[in-house]
Amino acid sequence: MADLDRIVRLKTVLARTGLSRSTLYRKISEGSFPKQVAISAHGAGWRESSINRWISDPVGYRHEAS
């Protein structure tokens, strides 16, 4: 995969998914939404490819164990 996987921040994720902040974090804890990745000591975001995968199949999404 030659494309660079961008990191998107919370505001973008909420806009793209239509989820509320509380629903997003509940789904993360359930394993039905991609986990954040650390981008600095106090910042985190999501891999755009993971968000796209969730958007393509929100009901069937399950976090892939690393």
Side-chain angles (χ1 to χ4, degrees), residues 2-61:
D3 293 332
L4 184 61
D5 198 7
R6 292 182 343 139
I7 301 296
V8 292
R9 300 298 299 263
L10 178 63
K11 186 175 182 179
T12 303
V13 172
L14 295 177
R16 293 210 38 217
T17 63
L19 298 173
S20 69
R21 180 188 298 245
S22 59
T23 299
L24 182 133
Y25 286 113
R26 178 177 46 80
K27 288 182 164 296
I28 291 171
S29 69
E30 294 171 348
S32 61
F33 195 85
K35 292 183 179 182
Q36 292 172 295
V37 294
I39 56 176
S40 69
H42 300 286
W46 286 263
R47 294 186 188 284
E48 190 171 35
S49 62
S50 296
I51 300 305
N52 291 339
R53 193 164 54 89
W54 183 87
I55 289 170
S56 71
D57 187 14
V59 174
Y61 179 88

